[in-house]
Protein backbone atom coordinates (compact mmCIF):
# COMPACT_ATOMS: atom_id res chain seq x y z
CA UNK A 1 0.00 0.00 0.00
CA UNK A 2 1.49 3.39 -0.86
CA UNK A 3 1.09 6.41 1.41
CA UNK A 4 -1.62 7.98 -0.74
CA UNK A 5 -3.75 4.84 -0.38
CA UNK A 6 -3.04 4.65 3.35
CA UNK A 7 -4.13 8.26 3.79
CA UNK A 8 -7.29 7.76 1.69
CA UNK A 9 -8.28 4.77 3.85
CA UNK A 10 -7.53 6.77 7.00
CA UNK A 11 -9.69 9.66 5.77
CA UNK A 12 -12.58 7.27 5.17
CA UNK A 13 -12.34 6.11 8.78
CA UNK A 14 -11.94 9.64 10.12
CA UNK A 15 -15.34 10.48 8.70
CA UNK A 16 -17.03 8.77 11.62
CA UNK A 17 -14.89 10.41 14.33
CA UNK A 18 -15.80 13.52 16.36
CA UNK A 19 -13.26 15.67 14.49
CA UNK A 20 -14.71 19.11 13.72
CA UNK A 21 -15.46 20.21 10.15
CA UNK A 22 -12.61 22.70 9.83
CA UNK A 23 -10.03 20.11 10.89
CA UNK A 24 -11.58 17.62 8.45
CA UNK A 25 -11.06 20.13 5.65
CA UNK A 26 -7.42 20.48 6.65
CA UNK A 27 -7.04 16.72 6.77
CA UNK A 28 -8.58 16.38 3.29
CA UNK A 29 -5.85 18.71 2.03
CA UNK A 30 -3.10 17.04 4.01
CA UNK A 31 -0.42 14.81 2.55
CA UNK A 32 1.20 11.78 4.16
CA UNK A 33 4.85 10.83 3.62
CA UNK A 34 6.72 7.90 5.14
CA UNK A 35 9.92 8.44 7.12
CA UNK A 36 12.43 5.72 6.19
CA UNK A 37 12.88 3.12 8.95
CA UNK A 38 16.56 3.84 9.49
CA UNK A 39 15.76 7.46 10.37
CA UNK A 40 13.42 6.61 13.20
CA UNK A 41 14.89 7.18 16.61
CA UNK A 42 13.28 5.73 19.67
CA UNK A 43 14.09 7.17 23.07
CA UNK A 44 12.14 4.49 24.84
CA UNK A 45 14.35 1.54 25.63
CA UNK A 46 11.30 -0.61 26.41
CA UNK A 47 9.79 0.11 23.05
CA UNK A 48 11.99 -1.20 20.24
CA UNK A 49 11.51 0.19 16.74
CA UNK A 50 8.62 -1.83 15.56
CA UNK A 51 6.27 0.66 13.97
CA UNK A 52 6.23 3.08 11.11
CA UNK A 53 6.74 6.81 11.18
CA UNK A 54 5.06 9.33 8.92
CA UNK A 55 5.05 13.04 8.31
CA UNK A 56 1.65 14.60 7.76
CA UNK A 57 1.90 17.91 5.93
CA UNK A 58 -1.06 20.15 6.60
CA UNK A 59 -2.05 23.45 5.00
CA UNK A 60 -0.81 25.94 7.60
CA UNK A 61 0.70 26.56 11.04
CA UNK A 62 -2.66 26.71 12.77
CA UNK A 63 -3.74 23.40 11.27
CA UNK A 64 -0.47 21.92 12.47
CA UNK A 65 -0.96 23.27 16.02
CA UNK A 66 -4.58 22.19 16.33
CA UNK A 67 -4.03 18.75 14.81
CA UNK A 68 -0.94 18.10 16.94
CA UNK A 69 -2.58 19.15 20.18
CA UNK A 70 -6.03 17.67 19.67
CA UNK A 71 -5.98 14.88 17.13
CA UNK A 72 -2.51 13.40 16.81
CA UNK A 73 -3.24 10.36 18.96
CA UNK A 74 -6.51 9.67 17.19
CA UNK A 75 -4.77 9.91 13.80
CA UNK A 76 -2.05 7.54 14.97
CA UNK A 77 -4.70 5.07 16.09
CA UNK A 78 -6.56 5.27 12.81
CA UNK A 79 -3.35 4.83 10.80
CA UNK A 80 -2.44 1.89 13.00
CA UNK A 81 -5.74 0.29 12.12
CA UNK A 82 -5.21 0.86 8.44
CA UNK A 83 -1.71 -0.65 8.24
CA UNK A 84 -1.78 -3.00 11.23
CA UNK A 85 1.39 -1.61 12.85
CA UNK A 86 2.04 1.03 15.51
CA UNK A 87 2.47 4.45 13.96
CA UNK A 88 4.30 7.60 15.02
CA UNK A 89 3.10 10.73 13.30
CA UNK A 90 4.82 14.08 12.92
CA UNK A 91 2.49 16.89 11.87
CA UNK A 92 4.04 19.78 9.98
CA UNK A 93 2.79 22.85 8.16
CA UNK A 94 3.53 22.79 4.44
CA UNK A 95 5.56 25.56 2.92
CA UNK A 96 4.28 27.88 0.27
CA UNK A 97 6.70 28.14 -2.62
CA UNK A 98 8.37 31.30 -3.80
CA UNK A 99 7.02 32.32 -7.19
CA UNK A 100 9.99 31.05 -9.16
CA UNK A 101 9.80 27.75 -7.34
CA UNK A 102 6.37 27.11 -8.78
CA UNK A 103 7.95 26.40 -12.14
CA UNK A 104 9.37 23.09 -10.92
CA UNK A 105 7.00 20.28 -11.51
CA UNK A 106 7.77 17.52 -9.02
CA UNK A 107 5.16 17.68 -6.25
CA UNK A 108 6.81 18.65 -3.01
CA UNK A 109 4.96 15.95 -1.18
CA UNK A 110 6.31 13.27 -3.50
CA UNK A 111 9.83 13.97 -2.35
CA UNK A 112 11.07 11.94 0.56
CA UNK A 113 11.82 14.12 3.58
CA UNK A 114 15.54 14.53 4.06
CA UNK A 115 17.37 13.78 7.23
CA UNK A 116 19.43 16.27 9.17
CA UNK A 117 22.97 15.23 10.08
CA UNK A 118 21.71 13.69 13.33
CA UNK A 119 19.19 11.55 11.49
CA UNK A 120 16.10 13.51 12.43
CA UNK A 121 14.04 14.36 9.35
CA UNK A 122 14.32 17.99 8.40
CA UNK A 123 11.38 20.33 8.55
CA UNK A 124 10.32 21.31 5.02
CA UNK A 125 11.45 24.85 5.82
CA UNK A 126 14.93 23.60 6.66
CA UNK A 127 14.96 21.50 3.52
CA UNK A 128 14.11 24.56 1.53
CA UNK A 129 17.10 26.33 3.02
CA UNK A 130 19.48 23.44 2.68
CA UNK A 131 18.63 22.58 -0.88
CA UNK A 132 17.79 24.60 -3.95
CA UNK A 133 15.49 24.75 -5.67
CA UNK A 134 12.48 23.58 -3.68
CA UNK A 135 9.95 21.69 -5.71
CA UNK A 136 6.40 22.67 -6.55
CA UNK A 137 3.88 22.56 -3.70
CA UNK A 138 0.58 20.80 -3.77
CA UNK A 139 -1.17 23.63 -1.94
CA UNK A 140 -2.44 26.63 -3.81
CA UNK A 141 -0.81 29.78 -2.47
CA UNK A 142 -3.25 31.73 -0.35
CA UNK A 143 -4.64 34.81 -2.12
CA UNK A 144 -3.31 38.13 -0.87
CA UNK A 145 -5.74 39.64 1.63
CA UNK A 146 -7.93 42.10 -0.22
CA UNK A 147 -7.87 45.76 0.74
CA UNK A 148 -11.01 46.70 2.66
CA UNK A 149 -13.65 48.01 0.31
CA UNK A 150 -14.94 51.57 0.42
CA UNK A 151 -18.20 50.47 1.94
CA UNK A 152 -16.45 48.74 4.82
CA UNK A 153 -14.89 52.00 5.81
CA UNK A 154 -17.88 54.15 4.96
CA UNK A 155 -18.69 54.69 8.60
CA UNK A 156 -15.42 56.46 9.11
CA UNK A 157 -16.20 59.17 6.61
CA UNK A 158 -17.61 62.31 8.22
CA UNK A 159 -20.03 62.83 5.33
CA UNK A 160 -21.70 59.48 5.59
CA UNK A 161 -21.94 59.14 9.35
CA UNK A 162 -25.34 57.91 10.37
CA UNK A 163 -26.17 56.79 13.87
CA UNK A 164 -24.95 53.25 13.37
CA UNK A 165 -21.69 54.23 11.76
CA UNK A 166 -21.12 56.77 14.49
CA UNK A 167 -21.43 53.94 16.96
CA UNK A 168 -18.87 51.91 15.04
CA UNK A 169 -16.46 54.81 14.89
CA UNK A 170 -16.97 55.30 18.58
CA UNK A 171 -16.15 51.67 19.23
CA UNK A 172 -12.94 52.00 17.28
CA UNK A 173 -11.92 54.98 19.34
CA UNK A 174 -13.05 53.73 22.74
CA UNK A 175 -12.75 50.01 22.65
CA UNK A 176 -11.40 49.69 26.19
CA UNK A 177 -8.77 47.23 25.11
CA UNK A 178 -5.77 46.99 27.40
CA UNK A 179 -2.72 47.81 25.23
CA UNK A 180 -0.61 45.30 27.20
CA UNK A 181 -2.86 42.37 26.32
CA UNK A 182 -1.54 41.43 22.89
CA UNK A 183 -0.69 38.11 21.26
CA UNK A 184 2.98 39.09 21.34
CA UNK A 185 2.90 39.43 25.13
CA UNK A 186 1.12 36.10 25.64
CA UNK A 187 3.32 33.17 26.61
CA UNK A 188 2.20 29.89 25.15
CA UNK A 189 2.61 26.61 27.02
CA UNK A 190 0.78 23.29 27.10
CA UNK A 191 -1.84 24.70 29.43
CA UNK A 192 -3.08 27.34 26.97
CA UNK A 193 -1.87 26.19 23.56
CA UNK A 194 -5.27 25.33 22.13
CA UNK A 195 -6.96 28.47 23.47
CA UNK A 196 -4.14 30.57 22.01
CA UNK A 197 -4.22 28.82 18.59
CA UNK A 198 -8.00 29.17 18.38
CA UNK A 199 -7.86 32.84 19.38
CA UNK A 200 -5.25 33.51 16.75
CA UNK A 201 -7.37 31.76 14.11
CA UNK A 202 -10.38 33.83 15.06
CA UNK A 203 -8.35 37.03 15.01
CA UNK A 204 -6.99 36.22 11.56
CA UNK A 205 -10.35 35.29 10.03
CA UNK A 206 -13.17 36.65 12.21
CA UNK A 207 -16.49 34.92 11.67
CA UNK A 208 -14.93 32.22 9.53
CA UNK A 209 -13.10 29.65 11.59
CA UNK A 210 -14.65 29.13 15.00
CA UNK A 211 -17.87 30.93 15.79
CA UNK A 212 -18.51 31.37 18.63
CA UNK A 213 -15.20 30.77 20.31
CA UNK A 214 -15.78 29.91 23.96
CA UNK A 215 -12.75 30.16 26.27
CA UNK A 216 -12.91 28.97 29.83
CA UNK A 217 -10.51 28.52 32.73
CA UNK A 218 -9.76 29.45 36.34
CA UNK A 219 -9.08 32.87 37.77
CA UNK A 220 -6.16 34.85 36.35
CA UNK A 221 -5.17 32.39 33.64
CA UNK A 222 -5.27 34.72 30.63
CA UNK A 223 -8.84 34.58 29.27
CA UNK A 224 -9.26 38.37 29.22
CA UNK A 225 -5.76 38.74 27.81
CA UNK A 226 -6.70 36.56 24.82
CA UNK A 227 -10.02 38.37 24.32
CA UNK A 228 -8.20 41.69 24.14
CA UNK A 229 -5.52 40.27 21.85
CA UNK A 230 -8.25 39.23 19.39
CA UNK A 231 -9.74 42.69 19.75
CA UNK A 232 -6.45 44.48 19.01
CA UNK A 233 -5.95 42.50 15.85
CA UNK A 234 -9.51 43.27 14.74
CA UNK A 235 -9.02 46.99 15.39
CA UNK A 236 -5.78 46.95 13.39
CA UNK A 237 -7.65 45.62 10.37
CA UNK A 238 -10.30 48.33 10.70
CA UNK A 239 -13.06 46.20 12.23
CA UNK A 240 -15.53 47.42 14.82
CA UNK A 241 -14.65 45.60 18.02
CA UNK A 242 -16.71 45.71 21.16
CA UNK A 243 -15.41 44.30 24.44
CA UNK A 244 -17.88 44.07 27.32
CA UNK A 245 -18.07 42.30 30.61
CA UNK A 246 -21.38 40.54 31.13
CA UNK A 247 -21.93 42.93 34.03
CA UNK A 248 -21.69 45.90 31.69
CA UNK A 249 -23.98 44.19 29.18
CA UNK A 250 -26.54 43.66 31.95
CA UNK A 251 -26.31 47.29 33.11
CA UNK A 252 -26.82 48.54 29.57
CA UNK A 253 -29.91 46.43 29.18
CA UNK A 254 -31.33 47.57 32.48
CA UNK A 255 -30.76 51.19 31.44
CA UNK A 256 -32.14 50.59 27.95
CA UNK A 257 -35.32 49.19 29.47
CA UNK A 258 -35.57 52.01 32.01
CA UNK A 259 -35.00 54.82 29.47
CA UNK A 260 -36.75 53.04 26.60
CA UNK A 261 -33.65 53.04 24.43
CA UNK A 262 -33.74 49.39 23.42
CA UNK A 263 -33.56 50.24 19.72
CA UNK A 264 -30.27 52.06 20.21
CA UNK A 265 -28.95 49.30 22.40
CA UNK A 266 -29.75 46.75 19.67
CA UNK A 267 -28.34 48.89 16.89
CA UNK A 268 -25.11 49.29 18.81
CA UNK A 269 -24.60 45.59 19.50
CA UNK A 270 -25.64 44.52 16.02
CA UNK A 271 -23.25 46.82 14.24
CA UNK A 272 -20.09 45.20 15.58
CA UNK A 273 -17.78 42.92 13.64
CA UNK A 274 -16.28 41.26 16.70
CA UNK A 275 -18.13 41.00 20.00
CA UNK A 276 -15.99 39.99 22.98
CA UNK A 277 -17.88 39.11 26.14
CA UNK A 278 -16.06 38.47 29.42
CA UNK A 279 -17.33 36.41 32.36
CA UNK A 280 -20.50 35.27 30.64
CA UNK A 281 -21.35 33.05 33.64
CA UNK A 282 -22.76 36.15 35.36
CA UNK A 283 -25.67 36.51 32.95
CA UNK A 284 -27.00 33.09 33.96
CA UNK A 285 -30.36 33.38 35.62
CA UNK A 286 -30.88 37.02 34.60
CA UNK A 287 -33.88 36.56 32.38
CA UNK A 288 -34.04 39.75 30.32
CA UNK A 289 -30.26 39.85 29.91
CA UNK A 290 -30.24 36.29 28.63
CA UNK A 291 -33.14 37.06 26.31
CA UNK A 292 -31.39 40.11 24.85
CA UNK A 293 -28.08 38.31 24.56
CA UNK A 294 -29.81 35.47 22.72
CA UNK A 295 -31.12 37.88 20.07
CA UNK A 296 -27.80 39.73 19.83
CA UNK A 297 -26.02 36.41 19.38
CA UNK A 298 -28.41 35.28 16.64
CA UNK A 299 -28.18 38.53 14.69
CA UNK A 300 -24.40 38.60 14.77
CA UNK A 301 -24.10 34.92 13.99
CA UNK A 302 -26.40 35.21 10.98
CA UNK A 303 -24.27 38.05 9.65
CA UNK A 304 -21.12 35.92 10.19
CA UNK A 305 -19.79 38.37 12.75
CA UNK A 306 -17.39 36.93 15.26
CA UNK A 307 -18.45 36.24 18.85
CA UNK A 308 -15.91 35.33 21.52
CA UNK A 309 -17.04 34.45 25.01
CA UNK A 310 -15.11 33.83 28.21
CA UNK A 311 -16.18 32.09 31.33
CA UNK A 312 -14.72 30.50 34.41
CA UNK A 313 -16.37 27.18 33.46
CA UNK A 314 -17.61 25.32 30.37
CA UNK A 315 -21.15 26.01 29.10
CA UNK A 316 -22.44 22.73 30.54
CA UNK A 317 -21.37 23.79 34.02
CA UNK A 318 -23.10 27.20 33.94
CA UNK A 319 -26.13 26.24 35.93
CA UNK A 320 -29.36 28.09 35.29
CA UNK A 321 -28.22 29.22 31.85
CA UNK A 322 -31.05 28.87 29.35
CA UNK A 323 -30.67 25.76 27.23
CA UNK A 324 -30.96 27.64 23.93
CA UNK A 325 -27.99 29.84 24.90
CA UNK A 326 -25.97 26.93 26.21
CA UNK A 327 -26.41 25.03 22.96
CA UNK A 328 -25.37 28.08 20.94
CA UNK A 329 -22.21 28.43 23.01
CA UNK A 330 -21.40 24.87 22.01
CA UNK A 331 -21.79 25.48 18.26
CA UNK A 332 -18.24 26.65 17.66
CA UNK A 333 -15.09 25.73 19.53
CA UNK A 334 -14.74 25.40 23.28
CA UNK A 335 -11.14 25.72 24.49
CA UNK A 336 -9.98 25.51 28.07
CA UNK A 337 -7.01 27.15 29.79
CA UNK A 338 -5.38 25.14 32.53
CA UNK A 339 -3.00 26.35 35.26
CA UNK A 340 0.46 26.79 33.73
CA UNK A 341 3.29 24.38 34.48
CA UNK A 342 6.49 25.48 36.18
CA UNK A 343 8.32 26.13 32.92
CA UNK A 344 5.54 28.37 31.58
CA UNK A 345 5.28 30.24 34.89
CA UNK A 346 9.01 30.91 34.75
CA UNK A 347 8.77 32.08 31.13
CA UNK A 348 5.91 34.44 32.02
CA UNK A 349 7.86 35.88 34.96
CA UNK A 350 10.93 36.34 32.80
CA UNK A 351 8.96 38.26 30.17
CA UNK A 352 7.17 40.40 32.77
CA UNK A 353 10.47 41.21 34.51
CA UNK A 354 12.04 42.18 31.18
CA UNK A 355 9.07 44.44 30.43
CA UNK A 356 9.65 46.17 33.75
CA UNK A 357 13.40 46.39 32.96
CA UNK A 358 13.89 44.57 36.22
CA UNK A 359 16.91 42.25 36.40
CA UNK A 360 15.91 39.15 38.31
CA UNK A 361 18.30 36.20 38.72
CA UNK A 362 17.04 32.83 37.43
CA UNK A 363 16.96 31.27 40.89
CA UNK A 364 14.59 33.97 42.12
CA UNK A 365 12.36 33.54 39.08
CA UNK A 366 12.27 29.80 39.83
CA UNK A 367 11.55 30.51 43.50
CA UNK A 368 8.54 32.74 42.76
CA UNK A 369 7.25 30.36 40.09
CA UNK A 370 7.46 27.54 42.65
CA UNK A 371 5.43 29.50 45.20
CA UNK A 372 2.56 30.74 43.06
CA UNK A 373 1.17 27.93 41.03
CA UNK A 374 -2.27 28.63 39.71
CA UNK A 375 -2.90 32.30 39.17
CA UNK A 376 -0.82 34.35 36.74
CA UNK A 377 -2.17 37.61 38.11
CA UNK A 378 -0.78 36.62 41.51
CA UNK A 379 2.48 35.65 39.89
CA UNK A 380 2.77 39.15 38.43
CA UNK A 381 1.73 40.61 41.78
CA UNK A 382 4.61 38.82 43.50
CA UNK A 383 7.07 40.26 41.05
CA UNK A 384 5.72 43.79 41.55
CA UNK A 385 5.81 43.43 45.32
CA UNK A 386 9.31 42.07 45.22
CA UNK A 387 10.35 45.13 43.25
CA UNK A 388 8.62 47.47 45.69
CA UNK A 389 10.06 45.63 48.72
CA UNK A 390 13.57 45.80 47.33
CA UNK A 391 13.26 49.51 46.56
CA UNK A 392 11.88 50.24 50.00
CA UNK A 393 14.70 48.40 51.74
CA UNK A 394 17.29 49.58 49.23
CA UNK A 395 18.79 46.15 49.27
CA UNK A 396 20.36 43.96 46.63
CA UNK A 397 18.13 41.36 45.06
CA UNK A 398 19.18 38.14 46.77
CA UNK A 399 17.29 34.97 47.62
CA UNK A 400 16.95 36.15 51.23
CA UNK A 401 15.36 39.41 50.09
CA UNK A 402 13.02 37.48 47.78
CA UNK A 403 12.04 35.14 50.62
CA UNK A 404 11.40 38.04 52.97
CA UNK A 405 9.38 39.93 50.35
CA UNK A 406 7.20 36.99 49.45
CA UNK A 407 6.64 35.72 52.98
CA UNK A 408 5.76 39.22 54.17
CA UNK A 409 2.82 39.00 51.81
CA UNK A 410 1.53 36.03 53.68
CA UNK A 411 0.23 34.60 50.41
CA UNK A 412 1.96 31.31 50.63
CA UNK A 413 3.87 29.87 53.50
CA UNK A 414 4.65 26.56 51.86
CA UNK A 415 8.18 25.45 51.16
CA UNK A 416 9.23 26.94 47.85
CA UNK A 417 9.23 23.66 46.02
CA UNK A 418 7.52 20.40 46.57
CA UNK A 419 9.85 17.47 46.94
CA UNK A 420 9.72 14.49 44.62
CA UNK A 421 8.73 11.95 47.23
CA UNK A 422 5.84 14.14 48.35
CA UNK A 423 4.58 14.36 44.75
CA UNK A 424 4.97 10.60 44.21
CA UNK A 425 3.00 9.94 47.41
CA UNK A 426 0.14 12.25 46.38
CA UNK A 427 -0.08 10.55 42.96
CA UNK A 428 -0.03 7.08 44.54
CA UNK A 429 -2.76 8.10 46.99
CA UNK A 430 -4.85 9.62 44.19
CA UNK A 431 -4.81 6.32 42.28
CA UNK A 432 -5.15 4.20 45.44
CA UNK A 433 -1.94 2.29 44.88
CA UNK A 434 1.04 1.94 47.19
CA UNK A 435 4.12 4.11 46.79
CA UNK A 436 6.25 0.95 46.83
CA UNK A 437 4.34 -0.58 43.91
CA UNK A 438 4.51 2.68 41.98
CA UNK A 439 8.26 2.93 42.48
CA UNK A 440 8.82 -0.78 41.81
CA UNK A 441 9.10 -2.93 38.71
CA UNK A 442 5.46 -3.87 38.14
CA UNK A 443 4.31 -3.18 34.57
CA UNK A 444 0.50 -3.39 34.88
CA UNK A 445 -1.26 -0.46 33.26
CA UNK A 446 -2.91 0.64 36.53
CA UNK A 447 0.60 1.10 37.98
CA UNK A 448 2.44 2.28 34.86
CA UNK A 449 0.19 5.27 34.14
CA UNK A 450 0.37 6.73 37.69
CA UNK A 451 4.13 6.13 37.60
CA UNK A 452 4.44 8.10 34.38
CA UNK A 453 2.21 10.87 35.79
CA UNK A 454 4.35 11.07 38.93
CA UNK A 455 7.53 11.34 36.86
CA UNK A 456 5.90 14.03 34.72
CA UNK A 457 4.75 16.08 37.72
CA UNK A 458 8.09 15.80 39.48
CA UNK A 459 9.80 17.05 36.33
CA UNK A 460 7.29 19.88 35.98
CA UNK A 461 7.21 21.01 39.57
CA UNK A 462 10.74 20.44 40.86
CA UNK A 463 14.25 20.81 39.58
CA UNK A 464 15.01 17.12 40.16
CA UNK A 465 17.14 15.71 37.33
CA UNK A 466 15.99 12.87 35.07
CA UNK A 467 18.63 10.67 36.67
CA UNK A 468 17.37 11.36 40.20
CA UNK A 469 13.77 10.76 39.16
CA UNK A 470 14.85 7.45 37.63
CA UNK A 471 16.52 6.48 40.90
CA UNK A 472 13.37 7.23 42.87
CA UNK A 473 11.43 4.95 40.54
CA UNK A 474 13.40 1.73 40.99
CA UNK A 475 16.61 2.73 39.23
CA UNK A 476 15.09 3.44 35.80
CA UNK A 477 17.40 5.23 33.43
CA UNK A 478 17.00 8.82 32.31
CA UNK A 479 15.67 7.97 28.83
CA UNK A 480 12.79 5.98 30.34
CA UNK A 481 11.91 8.96 32.54
CA UNK A 482 12.12 11.32 29.57
CA UNK A 483 9.92 9.04 27.48
CA UNK A 484 7.33 8.87 30.28
CA UNK A 485 7.26 12.65 30.69
CA UNK A 486 6.90 13.21 26.96
CA UNK A 487 4.15 10.63 26.72
CA UNK A 488 2.08 12.31 29.43
CA UNK A 489 2.83 15.72 27.97
CA UNK A 490 1.36 14.62 24.63
CA UNK A 491 -1.54 12.66 26.07
CA UNK A 492 -2.93 15.48 28.21
CA UNK A 493 -3.46 17.49 25.05
CA UNK A 494 -5.83 14.94 23.61
CA UNK A 495 -7.23 13.19 26.64
CA UNK A 496 -9.60 15.37 28.66
CA UNK A 497 -10.01 12.94 31.52
CA UNK A 498 -6.27 12.53 32.07
CA UNK A 499 -5.99 16.31 31.99
CA UNK A 500 -8.66 16.63 34.66
CA UNK A 501 -6.97 13.98 36.80
CA UNK A 502 -3.65 15.82 36.62
CA UNK A 503 -5.33 19.13 37.49
CA UNK A 504 -6.96 17.45 40.50
CA UNK A 505 -3.59 16.04 41.60
CA UNK A 506 -1.97 19.46 41.24
CA UNK A 507 -4.72 20.96 43.39
CA UNK A 508 -4.10 18.27 45.97
CA UNK A 509 -0.37 19.06 45.89
CA UNK A 510 -1.10 22.71 46.54
CA UNK A 511 -3.05 21.80 49.63
CA UNK A 512 -0.17 19.66 50.92
N1 LIG B 1 0.06 33.14 29.03
C1 LIG B 1 0.24 34.35 29.52
N2 LIG B 1 1.32 35.08 29.15
C2 LIG B 1 1.53 36.30 29.67
N3 LIG B 1 0.73 36.90 30.57
C3 LIG B 1 -0.36 36.21 30.97
C4 LIG B 1 -0.66 34.92 30.46
N4 LIG B 1 -1.80 34.48 31.03
C5 LIG B 1 -2.20 35.46 31.85
N5 LIG B 1 -1.34 36.50 31.82
C6 LIG B 1 -1.42 37.74 32.60
O1 LIG B 1 -2.06 37.43 33.84
C7 LIG B 1 -2.93 38.46 34.22
C8 LIG B 1 -4.32 37.91 34.43
O2 LIG B 1 -4.84 37.48 33.17
P1 LIG B 1 -6.36 37.70 32.75
O3 LIG B 1 -6.92 38.93 33.38
O4 LIG B 1 -6.44 37.58 31.28
O5 LIG B 1 -6.99 36.44 33.46
P2 LIG B 1 -8.49 35.90 33.42
O6 LIG B 1 -8.39 34.45 33.09
O7 LIG B 1 -9.33 36.75 32.53
O8 LIG B 1 -8.91 36.07 34.93
P3 LIG B 1 -10.36 36.35 35.59
O9 LIG B 1 -11.07 35.05 35.58
O10 LIG B 1 -10.01 36.81 36.96
O11 LIG B 1 -11.04 37.40 34.77
C9 LIG B 1 -2.88 39.51 33.12
O12 LIG B 1 -1.99 40.54 33.50
C10 LIG B 1 -2.31 38.76 31.93
O13 LIG B 1 -1.57 39.60 31.07
Amino acid sequence: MNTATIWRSALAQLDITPIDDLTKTWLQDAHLTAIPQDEIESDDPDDPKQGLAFILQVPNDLASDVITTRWQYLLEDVLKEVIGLPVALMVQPAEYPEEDELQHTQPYAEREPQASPNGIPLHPRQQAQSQAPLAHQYYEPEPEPEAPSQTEFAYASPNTLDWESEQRANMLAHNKLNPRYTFDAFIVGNSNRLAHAASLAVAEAPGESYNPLFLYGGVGLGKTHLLHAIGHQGVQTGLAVLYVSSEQFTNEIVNAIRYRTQEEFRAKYRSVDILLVDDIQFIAGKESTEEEFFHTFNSLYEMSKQIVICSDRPPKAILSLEERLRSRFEWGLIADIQPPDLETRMAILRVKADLLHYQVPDEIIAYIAGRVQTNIRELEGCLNRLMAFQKLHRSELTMDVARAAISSLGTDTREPTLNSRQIAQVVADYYHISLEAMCGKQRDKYIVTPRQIAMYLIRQETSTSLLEIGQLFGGRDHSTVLHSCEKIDRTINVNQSLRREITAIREQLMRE
Side-chain angles (χ1 to χ4, degrees), residues 409-445:
L409 302 169
T411 51
D412 191 349
T413 51
R414 261 183 334 101
E415 280 300 300
T417 49
L418 292 153
N419 73 47
S420 348
R421 187 158 280 278
Q422 212 179 345
I423 295 175
Q425 185 67 60
V426 168
V427 175
D429 290 348
Y430 184 86
Y431 289 103
H432 305 293
I433 57 178
S434 73
L435 184 60
E436 292 66 39
M438 197 172 76
C439 296
K441 296 280 177 211
Q442 226 173 308
R443 297 186 56 87
D444 305 270
K445 192 160 191 297

Side-chain angles (χ1 to χ4, degrees), residues 19 64 92 111 115 123 158 230-231 248 279 290 315 336 348-349 355 362 382 426 434 483 509 511:
I19 294 182
S64 169
Q92 291 182 344
R111 297 162 61 94
H123 186 282
I230 296 170
Q248 185 190 333
D279 291 328
E290 284 197 35
D336 66 335
I348 291 174
L349 278 172
L355 283 174
D362 285 345
C382 271
V426 168
S434 73
H483 168 74
L509 284 170
R511 284 195 289 271

Side-chain angles (χ1 to χ4, degrees), residues 180-181 185-188 192 217-226 278-279 312 344 348 352 375-377 380:
R180 289 192 303 117
Y181 292 177
F186 191 83
I187 307 294
V188 184
N192 57 26
V219 173
L221 294 184
K223 303 180 293 295
T224 306
H225 189 133
L226 284 177
D278 216 343
D279 291 328
D312 63 350
T344 311
I348 291 174
K352 305 277 174 190
N375 184 333
I376 297 171
R377 194 176 295 117
E380 291 177 340

Side-chain angles (χ1 to χ4, degrees), residues 477-503:
D477 74 26
H478 79 283
S479 59
T480 306
V481 178
L482 186 63
H483 168 74
S484 301
C485 296
E486 285 175 352
K487 183 163 177 216
I488 297 298
D489 202 25
R490 287 174 53 177
T491 313
I492 49 174
N493 286 318
V494 288
N495 184 330
Q496 290 280 351
S497 59
L498 180 70
R499 205 180 161 99
R500 274 195 294 274
E501 283 167 28
I502 291 182
T503 305

Side-chain angles (χ1 to χ4, degrees), residues 246-266 268-269 288-289 292:
S246 63
E247 198 185 8
Q248 185 190 333
F249 188 83
T250 307
N251 287 343
E252 286 188 32
I253 288 171
V254 170
N255 284 335
I257 295 170
R258 181 187 299 162
Y259 302 114
R260 295 169 203 268
T261 52
Q262 285 106 316
E263 277 313 304
E264 282 149 38
F265 172 88
R266 283 178 196 143
K268 170 181 166 185
Y269 275 87
S288 34
T289 310
E292 200 55 57

